[in-house]
Amino acid sequence: MRRRITGVAGLVAAAFVLAACGSDDTGTTDGADGEAPPGDSDRTYVALVSKGFQHQFWQSVRDGAQQAADEFDVDITFEGPDSESEVAQQIDMLQTAIDRSPDALGFAALDSQAAAPLMDQAASSDIPVIAFDSGVDSEVPLATAATDNRAAAALAAENMVELIGGSGQIAMVVHDQTSVTGTERRDGFVEYIEQNAPDVEIVDIQYGGGDHLESTNVATAIIQGNPDLDGIYGSNEGSAIGVVNAVKELGIAGDLVIVGFDSGQAQMDAIRDGVMAGAITQNPVGIGYETVKAAVEALEGDELPETIDTGFFWYDESNIDDDEIQAVLYE
Protein backbone atom coordinates (compact mmCIF):
# COMPACT_ATOMS: atom_id res chain seq x y z
CA MET A 1 0.00 0.00 0.00
CA ARG A 2 1.32 3.39 -0.91
CA ARG A 3 2.50 5.60 1.86
CA ARG A 4 0.63 8.61 3.06
CA ILE A 5 2.10 11.99 2.23
CA THR A 6 3.11 13.99 5.26
CA GLY A 7 3.74 17.65 4.95
CA VAL A 8 2.83 20.21 2.34
CA ALA A 9 5.10 23.05 1.45
CA GLY A 10 4.10 26.64 1.88
CA LEU A 11 3.15 29.31 -0.55
CA VAL A 12 4.26 29.18 -4.14
CA ALA A 13 6.49 31.95 -5.35
CA ALA A 14 5.28 34.04 -8.26
CA ALA A 15 8.18 32.94 -10.39
CA PHE A 16 9.66 29.49 -10.49
CA VAL A 17 13.10 28.35 -11.34
CA LEU A 18 12.88 25.81 -14.10
CA ALA A 19 13.76 22.46 -12.69
CA ALA A 20 15.61 19.90 -14.66
CA CYS A 21 13.65 16.75 -15.18
CA GLY A 22 14.57 13.28 -16.26
CA SER A 23 12.41 12.93 -19.32
CA ASP A 24 12.82 10.49 -22.13
CA ASP A 25 11.84 10.82 -25.77
CA THR A 26 8.52 9.10 -25.35
CA GLY A 27 6.82 12.03 -23.68
CA THR A 28 6.75 10.44 -20.24
CA THR A 29 8.78 11.44 -17.22
CA ASP A 30 9.22 9.49 -14.00
CA GLY A 31 9.70 11.23 -10.68
CA ALA A 32 11.26 8.20 -9.04
CA ASP A 33 14.45 8.36 -11.11
CA GLY A 34 13.56 5.03 -12.62
CA GLU A 35 13.82 3.12 -9.31
CA ALA A 36 10.42 1.52 -9.88
CA PRO A 37 7.68 1.97 -12.47
CA PRO A 38 5.09 4.52 -11.28
CA GLY A 39 2.10 2.74 -9.85
CA ASP A 40 4.13 -0.31 -8.85
CA SER A 41 5.98 1.16 -5.88
CA ASP A 42 4.90 2.35 -2.45
CA ARG A 43 5.46 5.96 -3.47
CA THR A 44 2.53 8.22 -4.17
CA TYR A 45 1.95 8.46 -7.91
CA VAL A 46 0.26 11.28 -9.83
CA ALA A 47 -0.43 10.71 -13.55
CA LEU A 48 -0.68 13.84 -15.72
CA VAL A 49 -2.18 13.85 -19.21
CA SER A 50 -1.63 17.14 -21.03
CA LYS A 51 -2.98 18.56 -24.28
CA GLY A 52 0.35 18.12 -25.99
CA PHE A 53 4.01 17.50 -25.51
CA GLN A 54 5.80 19.05 -28.46
CA HIS A 55 5.34 22.73 -27.66
CA GLN A 56 7.71 24.49 -25.32
CA PHE A 57 4.69 25.54 -23.30
CA TRP A 58 4.00 21.91 -22.33
CA GLN A 59 7.65 21.26 -21.61
CA SER A 60 7.51 24.11 -19.09
CA VAL A 61 4.29 22.75 -17.56
CA ARG A 62 6.10 19.44 -17.17
CA ASP A 63 9.06 21.22 -15.54
CA GLY A 64 6.73 22.77 -12.97
CA ALA A 65 5.04 19.45 -12.30
CA GLN A 66 8.41 17.81 -11.76
CA GLN A 67 9.45 20.64 -9.44
CA ALA A 68 6.40 19.95 -7.27
CA ALA A 69 6.98 16.19 -7.49
CA ASP A 70 10.50 16.67 -6.16
CA GLU A 71 9.31 19.04 -3.42
CA PHE A 72 6.50 16.76 -2.21
CA ASP A 73 8.41 13.53 -2.85
CA VAL A 74 5.94 11.90 -5.20
CA ASP A 75 6.23 10.16 -8.56
CA ILE A 76 4.64 11.60 -11.69
CA THR A 77 4.24 10.70 -15.32
CA PHE A 78 3.61 13.44 -17.89
CA GLU A 79 2.37 12.62 -21.35
CA GLY A 80 0.39 14.20 -24.15
CA PRO A 81 -0.75 13.54 -27.72
CA ASP A 82 1.30 14.27 -30.81
CA SER A 83 -0.70 17.41 -31.53
CA GLU A 84 -3.44 19.43 -29.91
CA SER A 85 -5.96 18.18 -32.46
CA GLU A 86 -5.50 14.51 -31.48
CA VAL A 87 -8.51 14.17 -29.20
CA ALA A 88 -8.82 10.39 -29.71
CA GLN A 89 -5.14 9.86 -28.90
CA GLN A 90 -5.49 11.92 -25.72
CA ILE A 91 -8.55 9.93 -24.66
CA ASP A 92 -6.56 6.70 -25.15
CA MET A 93 -3.76 8.16 -23.01
CA LEU A 94 -6.25 9.11 -20.33
CA GLN A 95 -7.71 5.60 -20.30
CA THR A 96 -4.21 4.12 -20.00
CA ALA A 97 -3.36 6.48 -17.17
CA ILE A 98 -6.51 5.53 -15.25
CA ASP A 99 -5.79 1.83 -15.85
CA ARG A 100 -2.46 2.32 -14.04
CA SER A 101 -4.50 3.17 -10.90
CA PRO A 102 -2.65 6.35 -9.94
CA ASP A 103 -3.23 7.92 -6.53
CA ALA A 104 -4.32 11.10 -8.30
CA LEU A 105 -4.78 12.33 -11.85
CA GLY A 106 -4.04 15.64 -13.58
CA PHE A 107 -5.82 16.28 -16.87
CA ALA A 108 -5.84 19.07 -19.47
CA ALA A 109 -8.75 18.34 -21.79
CA LEU A 110 -8.53 18.83 -25.54
CA ASP A 111 -12.26 18.25 -25.72
CA SER A 112 -14.09 19.31 -22.58
CA GLN A 113 -16.97 16.88 -23.24
CA ALA A 114 -15.27 13.82 -24.77
CA ALA A 115 -13.45 13.00 -21.54
CA ALA A 116 -16.51 13.16 -19.31
CA PRO A 117 -17.11 9.36 -19.20
CA LEU A 118 -13.50 8.75 -18.17
CA MET A 119 -13.80 11.42 -15.53
CA ASP A 120 -16.70 9.41 -14.12
CA GLN A 121 -14.54 6.27 -14.24
CA ALA A 122 -11.80 8.02 -12.28
CA ALA A 123 -14.33 9.14 -9.70
CA SER A 124 -15.77 5.63 -9.33
CA SER A 125 -12.20 4.39 -8.76
CA ASP A 126 -11.68 7.03 -6.03
CA ILE A 127 -8.95 8.76 -8.04
CA PRO A 128 -9.01 12.50 -7.30
CA VAL A 129 -8.72 14.58 -10.48
CA ILE A 130 -7.14 18.01 -10.86
CA ALA A 131 -7.82 19.75 -14.17
CA PHE A 132 -5.07 21.95 -15.54
CA ASP A 133 -4.80 24.50 -18.37
CA SER A 134 -8.30 23.62 -19.57
CA GLY A 135 -11.39 22.74 -17.63
CA VAL A 136 -13.45 19.61 -18.21
CA ASP A 137 -17.20 19.46 -18.77
CA SER A 138 -17.58 17.38 -15.63
CA GLU A 139 -18.11 17.84 -11.91
CA VAL A 140 -15.34 15.34 -11.16
CA PRO A 141 -12.22 17.59 -11.09
CA LEU A 142 -11.73 18.98 -7.60
CA ALA A 143 -9.93 22.08 -8.87
CA THR A 144 -8.62 23.61 -12.09
CA ALA A 145 -5.15 25.18 -12.21
CA ALA A 146 -5.18 27.56 -15.15
CA THR A 147 -4.83 31.03 -16.55
CA ASP A 148 -7.95 33.21 -16.50
CA ASN A 149 -8.08 32.80 -20.26
CA ARG A 150 -11.05 35.08 -20.86
CA ALA A 151 -9.38 37.97 -19.04
CA ALA A 152 -6.04 37.27 -20.70
CA ALA A 153 -7.64 37.27 -24.16
CA ALA A 154 -9.33 40.57 -23.34
CA LEU A 155 -5.91 42.03 -22.54
CA ALA A 156 -4.63 40.81 -25.91
CA ALA A 157 -7.63 42.47 -27.59
CA GLU A 158 -7.06 45.71 -25.70
CA ASN A 159 -3.49 45.85 -26.98
CA MET A 160 -4.59 44.97 -30.51
CA VAL A 161 -7.08 47.86 -30.55
CA GLU A 162 -4.45 50.27 -29.31
CA LEU A 163 -1.84 49.05 -31.80
CA ILE A 164 -4.12 49.46 -34.86
CA GLY A 165 -5.18 52.93 -33.73
CA GLY A 166 -8.69 52.07 -32.56
CA SER A 167 -10.22 51.17 -35.92
CA GLY A 168 -9.81 48.66 -38.75
CA GLN A 169 -10.24 45.02 -39.68
CA ILE A 170 -8.79 42.16 -37.71
CA ALA A 171 -8.97 38.35 -37.83
CA MET A 172 -8.34 35.49 -35.44
CA VAL A 173 -6.55 32.13 -35.70
CA VAL A 174 -7.80 30.07 -32.76
CA HIS A 175 -6.38 26.68 -31.77
CA ASP A 176 -9.74 24.90 -31.43
CA GLN A 177 -13.41 25.29 -30.60
CA THR A 178 -13.68 22.26 -28.30
CA SER A 179 -11.35 23.01 -25.39
CA VAL A 180 -12.03 25.55 -22.67
CA THR A 181 -8.86 27.45 -23.54
CA GLY A 182 -9.89 27.66 -27.19
CA THR A 183 -13.36 28.95 -26.52
CA GLU A 184 -12.41 31.32 -23.68
CA ARG A 185 -9.49 32.86 -25.58
CA ARG A 186 -11.76 33.34 -28.58
CA ASP A 187 -14.73 34.66 -26.62
CA GLY A 188 -12.71 36.88 -24.30
CA PHE A 189 -11.08 38.55 -27.31
CA VAL A 190 -14.36 38.94 -29.22
CA GLU A 191 -16.25 40.28 -26.20
CA TYR A 192 -13.65 42.97 -25.56
CA ILE A 193 -13.82 44.14 -29.17
CA GLU A 194 -17.63 44.15 -29.22
CA GLN A 195 -17.87 46.05 -25.94
CA ASN A 196 -15.01 48.50 -26.31
CA ALA A 197 -14.05 48.98 -29.96
CA PRO A 198 -17.04 49.82 -32.18
CA ASP A 199 -14.77 50.80 -35.07
CA VAL A 200 -12.90 47.50 -35.11
CA GLU A 201 -14.38 44.71 -37.24
CA ILE A 202 -13.53 41.04 -36.79
CA VAL A 203 -13.73 39.81 -40.38
CA ASP A 204 -12.81 36.14 -39.88
CA ILE A 205 -12.27 33.52 -37.17
CA GLN A 206 -10.57 30.29 -38.24
CA TYR A 207 -9.20 27.26 -36.35
CA GLY A 208 -5.76 25.76 -36.87
CA GLY A 209 -5.69 23.01 -34.26
CA GLY A 210 -2.72 24.67 -32.54
CA ASP A 211 -0.53 23.21 -35.26
CA HIS A 212 2.13 25.47 -36.80
CA LEU A 213 1.64 24.28 -40.37
CA GLU A 214 -2.15 24.24 -40.32
CA SER A 215 -2.23 27.64 -38.64
CA THR A 216 0.15 28.97 -41.29
CA ASN A 217 -2.21 27.75 -44.01
CA VAL A 218 -5.23 29.20 -42.24
CA ALA A 219 -3.55 32.58 -41.69
CA THR A 220 -2.36 32.70 -45.31
CA ALA A 221 -5.90 32.15 -46.57
CA ILE A 222 -7.27 34.82 -44.23
CA ILE A 223 -4.70 37.39 -45.35
CA GLN A 224 -5.19 36.66 -49.03
CA GLY A 225 -8.97 36.88 -48.65
CA ASN A 226 -8.91 40.16 -46.72
CA PRO A 227 -6.60 42.69 -48.39
CA ASP A 228 -7.59 45.48 -45.98
CA LEU A 229 -6.70 43.48 -42.87
CA ASP A 230 -4.94 45.45 -40.11
CA GLY A 231 -4.14 42.73 -37.58
CA ILE A 232 -4.35 39.05 -36.63
CA TYR A 233 -4.56 37.41 -33.21
CA GLY A 234 -3.16 33.90 -32.63
CA SER A 235 -4.66 32.23 -29.57
CA ASN A 236 -1.80 29.91 -28.58
CA GLU A 237 1.83 29.17 -29.36
CA GLY A 238 1.11 27.13 -32.48
CA SER A 239 -1.51 29.56 -33.75
CA ALA A 240 0.67 32.63 -33.21
CA ILE A 241 3.72 31.08 -34.83
CA GLY A 242 1.53 30.04 -37.75
CA VAL A 243 0.47 33.66 -38.24
CA VAL A 244 4.11 34.80 -38.06
CA ASN A 245 5.12 32.18 -40.62
CA ALA A 246 2.31 33.20 -42.98
CA VAL A 247 3.27 36.87 -42.83
CA LYS A 248 6.92 36.03 -43.50
CA GLU A 249 6.09 33.70 -46.38
CA LEU A 250 3.87 36.35 -47.98
CA GLY A 251 6.61 38.95 -47.59
CA ILE A 252 4.48 41.37 -45.59
CA ALA A 253 6.26 41.29 -42.23
CA GLY A 254 5.57 44.55 -40.44
CA ASP A 255 2.48 45.36 -42.52
CA LEU A 256 0.08 43.62 -40.11
CA VAL A 257 -0.19 43.88 -36.35
CA ILE A 258 0.24 40.38 -34.89
CA VAL A 259 -0.84 39.75 -31.32
CA GLY A 260 -0.30 36.31 -29.85
CA PHE A 261 -0.68 34.08 -26.85
CA ASP A 262 2.08 32.11 -25.07
CA SER A 263 5.80 32.51 -25.66
CA GLY A 264 8.34 30.05 -27.04
CA GLN A 265 11.58 30.94 -28.79
CA ALA A 266 9.98 31.60 -32.19
CA GLN A 267 7.51 34.09 -30.72
CA MET A 268 10.17 35.85 -28.68
CA ASP A 269 12.35 36.12 -31.79
CA ALA A 270 9.37 37.53 -33.74
CA ILE A 271 8.80 40.18 -31.06
CA ARG A 272 12.47 41.15 -30.95
CA ASP A 273 12.49 41.32 -34.78
CA GLY A 274 9.35 43.46 -34.88
CA VAL A 275 7.27 40.88 -36.77
CA MET A 276 4.96 40.31 -33.79
CA ALA A 277 3.80 43.26 -31.69
CA GLY A 278 3.38 41.36 -28.43
CA ALA A 279 1.72 38.45 -26.70
CA ILE A 280 0.19 37.12 -23.54
CA THR A 281 2.42 34.81 -21.56
CA GLN A 282 1.02 32.48 -19.00
CA ASN A 283 2.91 30.86 -16.15
CA PRO A 284 3.22 27.27 -17.41
CA VAL A 285 5.70 26.25 -14.74
CA GLY A 286 3.20 27.47 -12.17
CA ILE A 287 0.37 25.54 -13.86
CA GLY A 288 2.32 22.28 -13.60
CA TYR A 289 3.48 23.02 -10.08
CA GLU A 290 0.02 23.92 -8.81
CA THR A 291 -1.54 20.84 -10.42
CA VAL A 292 0.72 18.41 -8.58
CA LYS A 293 0.52 20.47 -5.38
CA ALA A 294 -3.29 20.37 -5.52
CA ALA A 295 -3.21 16.60 -6.13
CA VAL A 296 -1.07 16.17 -3.03
CA GLU A 297 -3.41 18.33 -0.98
CA ALA A 298 -6.44 16.39 -2.28
CA LEU A 299 -4.85 13.14 -1.13
CA GLU A 300 -4.38 14.70 2.29
CA GLY A 301 -8.06 15.55 2.41
CA ASP A 302 -7.59 19.30 2.12
CA GLU A 303 -10.40 21.40 0.69
CA LEU A 304 -9.38 22.92 -2.65
CA PRO A 305 -10.56 26.08 -4.40
CA GLU A 306 -12.58 25.48 -7.56
CA THR A 307 -10.07 27.46 -9.60
CA ILE A 308 -6.39 28.16 -9.04
CA ASP A 309 -5.48 31.28 -11.03
CA THR A 310 -1.88 30.95 -12.15
CA GLY A 311 -1.68 34.43 -13.69
CA PHE A 312 -0.76 36.04 -17.03
CA PHE A 313 1.26 38.96 -18.41
CA TRP A 314 1.40 41.09 -21.59
CA TYR A 315 4.89 41.29 -23.00
CA ASP A 316 6.38 43.10 -25.97
CA GLU A 317 9.68 44.54 -27.09
CA SER A 318 9.58 47.11 -24.28
CA ASN A 319 9.49 44.66 -21.38
CA ILE A 320 10.54 41.26 -22.73
CA ASP A 321 13.84 41.48 -20.85
CA ASP A 322 12.33 42.57 -17.53
CA ASP A 323 12.98 40.14 -14.69
CA GLU A 324 9.23 39.67 -14.03
CA ILE A 325 8.61 38.69 -17.65
CA GLN A 326 11.74 36.62 -18.11
CA ALA A 327 10.64 34.48 -15.14
CA VAL A 328 7.47 33.35 -16.95
CA LEU A 329 8.68 33.04 -20.54
CA TYR A 330 9.20 29.52 -21.81
CA GLU A 331 11.83 29.01 -24.44
Side-chain angles (χ1 to χ4, degrees):
M1 188 173 178
R2 293 169 191 160
R3 66 175 169 71
R4 187 74 170 165
I5 297 172
T6 56
V8 178
L11 298 175
V12 182
F16 299 88
V17 178
L18 296 181
C21 58
S23 63
D24 54 33
D25 293 334
T26 65
T28 301
T29 180
D30 296 341
D33 297 328
E35 293 177 355
D40 291 343
S41 72
D42 290 334
R43 294 167 56 85
T44 296
Y45 166 43
V46 181
L48 296 108
V49 179
S50 77
K51 294 168 66 176
F53 200 81
Q54 76 282 24
H55 289 162
Q56 291 161 342
F57 175 84
W58 294 114
Q59 298 292 319
S60 294
V61 173
R62 185 190 62 176
D63 289 342
Q66 186 63 54
Q67 181 180 343
D70 293 341
E71 182 174 332
F72 299 119
D73 196 24
V74 301
D75 289 341
I76 66 168
T77 52
F78 190 100
E79 54 197 329
D82 295 333
S83 78
E84 295 181 27
S85 61
E86 299 288 347
V87 175
Q89 184 185 10
Q90 190 196 41
I91 293 299
D92 288 343
M93 286 180 165
L94 179 60
Q95 179 68 71
T96 300
I98 293 173
D99 291 344
R100 289 197 295 261
S101 300
D103 294 293
L105 179 68
F107 181 56
L110 280 173
D111 187 318
S112 60
Q113 296 185 359
L118 289 180
M119 292 292 96
D120 293 337
Q121 181 181 341
S124 65
S125 301
D126 295 324
I127 301 172
V129 178
I130 308 299
F132 65 98
D133 184 67
S134 276
V136 185
D137 191 9
S138 166
E139 298 296 325
V140 171
L142 301 174
T144 300
T147 304
D148 184 340
N149 286 291
R150 195 177 289 268
L155 180 59
E158 179 181 353
N159 278 278
M160 172 67 87
V161 172
E162 181 177 343
L163 287 163
I164 65 172
S167 64
Q169 295 183 349
I170 61 174
M172 303 165 63
V173 177
V174 181
H175 48 289
D176 64 61
Q177 50 187 332
T178 57
S179 72
V180 172
T181 60
T183 56
E184 289 191 345
R185 291 180 200 174
R186 177 196 63 199
D187 295 346
F189 191 94
V190 170
E191 288 167 0
Y192 181 88
I193 297 296
E194 291 178 345
Q195 295 171 10
N196 299 281
D199 295 327
V200 174
E201 179 185 7
I202 299 175
V203 296
D204 203 353
I205 302 175
Q206 296 291 331
Y207 301 89
D211 177 75
H212 298 177
L213 181 58
E214 180 61 23
S215 297
T216 300
N217 294 337
V218 165
T220 299
I222 291 174
I223 294 167
Q224 291 176 333
N226 296 277
D228 295 326
L229 202 63
D230 295 292
I232 303 184
Y233 160 64
S235 68
N236 77 343
E237 181 180 352
S239 306
I241 293 173
V243 175
V244 168
N245 290 342
V247 167
K248 287 182 175 178
E249 291 175 6
L250 291 170
I252 57 171
D255 292 346
L256 289 177
V257 172
I258 302 174
V259 168
F261 213 107
D262 294 324
S263 61
Q265 190 61 57
Q267 278 182 263
M268 288 187 280
D269 289 345
I271 288 174
R272 293 185 191 281
D273 293 343
V275 178
M276 176 178 283
I280 298 293
T281 183
Q282 306 178 76
N283 182 359
V285 176
I287 292 173
Y289 181 96
E290 291 289 352
T291 301
V292 173
K293 176 174 178 279
V296 170
E297 292 174 339
L299 291 169
E300 290 197 320
D302 293 347
E303 185 174 349
L304 300 177
E306 182 177 348
T307 59
I308 302 170
D309 185 356
T310 52
F312 60 87
F313 303 85
W314 168 262
Y315 71 103
D316 57 21
E317 189 176 15
S318 71
N319 67 352
I320 191 172
D321 292 318
D322 290 354
D323 291 342
E324 180 183 49
I325 298 301
Q326 283 291 312
V328 293
L329 295 179
Y330 28 101
E331 299 181 356

